[in-house]
Amino acid sequence: MRFPDGFLWGAATAAYQIEGAVAEDGRGPSIWDTFSHTPGAVLRGDTGDVACDHYHRWREDLDLLGELGVGAYRLSVAWPRVVPAGAGPVNPAGLDFYERLVDGLLERGITPMLTLYHWDLPQALQDAGGWANRDTAAHFADYAAVVHRRLGDRVPYWLTLNEPYCSAVVGHLDGRHAPGVRDERVAVTAVHHLLLAHGRAVAALRADGVTGQVGITCNLTSVHPASETPADVAAARRLDLHENRMYLDPLFRGAYPADAEAYYAPVTDFGFVHDGDLDLIAAPLDFFGINYYERHHVRADPADPERGWQRVPPARPTVTGIGVHPEGLAEILERVSREYTGLPLVVTETGLALHDYAGPDGEIADDERIAFFEGHLRAAHGAMTRGVSLLGFFPWSFLDNFEWASGYGVRYGLYYVDYPTQRRTPKRSARWYATVIRVNGLP
Ligand code: IFM
């Protein structure tokens, strides 16, 4: 199985999950600093204070990426490193760091793909209401322009947001992520302000004459009713609204889904949508990033027949409780291409969490991860043969790292990080992936 010439084989990370150095060189605090230091918020009280110490070890890490042979690397810029209070003075040392990273990648022949927001909202903006406050969207656009002015001549791929669903819903409805709010009205408002932030940032980059390609990454799920009963079908449609259509419809159709206002009416009206917002949100992009982890079978919730749903637990859950369903990736790629956009797509993340460990011989034998990626690459390739335009594939993650509310309790990396010593060791999957890249397909 071979991929087209020029296919972008990448790897992905995010700033707070790897950098550490949270109080160095002028970085301001983010909502994840606050949240991770809140007792009970993160497993075992882990924080990103040190994480993979990538802020200091970036040269070594870029060398590892070079050894792996990736053509591209997806990293995120920490907003509070660049604009410590979220709005106002810029911190030149923060920009210097990302400039060193981008230049270091280019020197090694690796294409940078930059995410501008991977969940680390400056705490000062949270203190002013965070994503519930419309002004946050304008501040994000200003910050995007600042980063673009420094790096626009060298970065060919720009992503505004990573996974607005997680920022809005996991952060403001489930409360499992920063800022730890549990309020559906706030969550729905946050969805809109995040999308507006994306739209304003795209406009800012375009106004600045961006020459790179501009996109956004959404985490999408494949949703199926557990049976054909009207109640299960309706429940699946509600979950699809909640997880997928609330993002895809405004981005690619310039409108919230027809059933959205009625569904959310018990908690909020859509008064937060102002004239012109949806035009900004739906402004043309150059590519679309998809993160894929979950496929759901859904049945009605007898306790909440009007608004609820129940996810049928997977038959073989992984350590994070979700199943492995590569076919869901193909379903999503094909659905997005068929129903929403002809833009080139990029799988900006997919990956498997394991409790990896080094065996007596020092080998980290993550064969399940190899099988996971092999299945997902077959699925992606299948979608391509059926007409999907796919530019690249970015395993999550390059390194083991701070997995948000799970702290360091699960590992996603191609490289094992021994946190006490910060030693990096390639897992078996890293060697396998290096071969995939070399042969441009499955070995
Ligand atoms: O670690 C996260 C990443 O930050 C966003 N997408 C999902 C990954 C695994 O949970």
Side-chain angles (χ1 to χ4, degrees):
M1 182 182 292
R2 293 290 175 269
F3 284 72
D5 288 346
F7 191 75
L8 270 190
W9 294 105
T13 61
Y16 187 71
Q17 295 181 272
I18 64 167
E19 286 179 1
V22 291
E24 272 180 61
D25 296 337
R27 178 186 179 279
S30 83
I31 55 173
W32 268 97
D33 296 299
T34 308
F35 189 71
S36 65
H37 281 270
T38 304
V42 173
L43 190 71
R44 296 187 306 216
D46 289 344
T47 74
D49 289 1
V50 178
C52 306
D53 195 29
H54 174 73
Y55 190 77
H56 300 114
R57 295 168 193 265
W58 62 271
R59 277 192 198 81
E60 175 197 341
D61 289 338
L62 298 195
D63 287 345
L64 292 180
L65 284 168
E67 270 169 45
L68 189 59
V70 291
Y73 174 54
R74 175 174 176 242
L75 68 154
S76 82
V77 175
W79 185 349
R81 246 186 231 298
V82 173
V83 186
V90 171
N91 174 32
L95 284 171
D96 292 345
F97 173 63
Y98 295 107
E99 182 164 64
R100 286 196 291 276
L101 276 180
V102 165
D103 288 345
L105 287 166
L106 294 172
E107 278 159 23
R108 290 163 178 81
I110 301 170
T111 299
M113 180 179 283
L114 220 70
T115 308
L116 288 164
Y117 184 70
H118 200 123
W119 307 355
D120 38 8
L121 185 74
Q123 181 61 42
L125 293 186
Q126 185 61 39
D127 297 341
W131 289 112
N133 182 345
R134 189 177 167 87
D135 295 344
T136 301
H139 297 317
F140 179 68
D142 292 344
Y143 149 71
V146 165
V147 179
H148 179 259
R149 260 170 235 142
R150 176 67 83 92
L151 298 174
D153 57 340
R154 278 159 284 176
V155 173
Y157 293 98
W158 295 82
L159 289 161
T160 53
L161 308 180
N162 177 68
E163 302 183 353
Y165 168 88
C166 290
S167 297
V169 175
V170 187
H172 299 83
L173 174 60
D174 306 341
R176 285 187 290 113
H177 281 181
V181 173
R182 288 195 169 88
D183 182 326
E184 192 173 5
R185 186 188 59 78
V186 177
V188 183
T189 310
V191 170
H192 183 66
H193 291 159
L194 279 149
L195 291 174
L196 181 62
H198 155 78
R200 285 194 187 285
V202 172
L205 297 188
R206 300 279 189 227
D208 236 38
V210 63
T211 53
Q213 304 201 28
V214 181
I216 180 173
T217 280
C218 290
N219 56 314
L220 300 177
T221 61
S222 126
V223 180
H224 297 268
S227 80
E228 287 311 313
T229 61
D232 286 356
V233 170
R237 191 152 173 77
R238 287 195 290 275
L239 182 59
D240 184 45
L241 169 72
H242 177 73
E243 292 188 335
N244 300 315
R245 291 185 288 116
M246 277 297 281
Y247 307 88
L248 291 169
D249 282 48
L251 285 169
F252 296 114
R253 296 180 178 164
Y256 282 101
D259 49 345
E261 290 207 32
Y263 178 74
Y264 291 109
V267 292
T268 182
D269 59 32
F270 274 48
F272 45 68
V273 181
H274 295 192
D275 281 354
D277 285 3
L278 284 155
D279 292 338
L280 278 169
I281 292 169
L285 298 175
D286 305 307
F287 73 109
F288 182 51
I290 293 176
N291 291 358
Y292 169 67
Y293 291 87
E294 298 190 41
R295 183 172 195 258
H296 301 301
H297 280 89
V298 183
R299 58 187 170 219
D301 179 0
D304 188 1
E306 294 300 318
R307 300 194 73 235
W309 53 75
Q310 286 181 344
R311 297 185 181 97
V312 178
R316 296 177 58 212
T318 66
V319 299
T320 53
I322 59 180
V324 175
H325 300 290
E327 66 278 19
L329 175 60
E331 288 166 15
I332 289 169
L333 293 172
E334 289 176 59
R335 178 192 189 184
V336 168
S337 301
R338 192 178 56 240
E339 295 179 21
Y340 285 99
T341 177
L343 282 178
L345 307 180
V346 176
V347 176
T348 39
E349 284 181 30
T350 189
L352 177 66
L354 294 171
H355 295 304
D356 297 294
Y357 57 92
D361 55 356
E363 172 85 350
I364 298 137
D366 57 343
D367 296 335
E368 299 99 315
R369 186 171 287 112
I370 294 174
F372 176 97
F373 283 129
E374 189 166 319
H376 286 70
L377 283 175
R378 283 188 193 284
H381 192 271
M384 291 169 82
T385 61
R386 291 185 291 276
V388 169
S389 159
L390 187 68
L391 286 183
F393 186 91
F394 289 65
W396 183 268
S397 175
F398 163 42
L399 298 171
D400 291 337
N401 58 50
F402 176 78
E403 178 49 25
W404 308 113
S406 302
Y408 302 99
V410 298
R411 295 171 178 272
Y412 275 96
L414 296 166
Y415 284 78
Y416 185 90
V417 177
D418 177 52
Y419 293 106
T421 61
Q422 291 292 350
R423 204 157 75 91
R424 280 81 159 125
T425 307
K427 301 180 190 175
R428 197 175 276 171
S429 59
R431 291 201 293 275
W432 171 85
Y433 188 49
T435 309
V436 169
I437 297 170
R438 204 175 54 246
V439 305
N440 198 29
L442 289 181

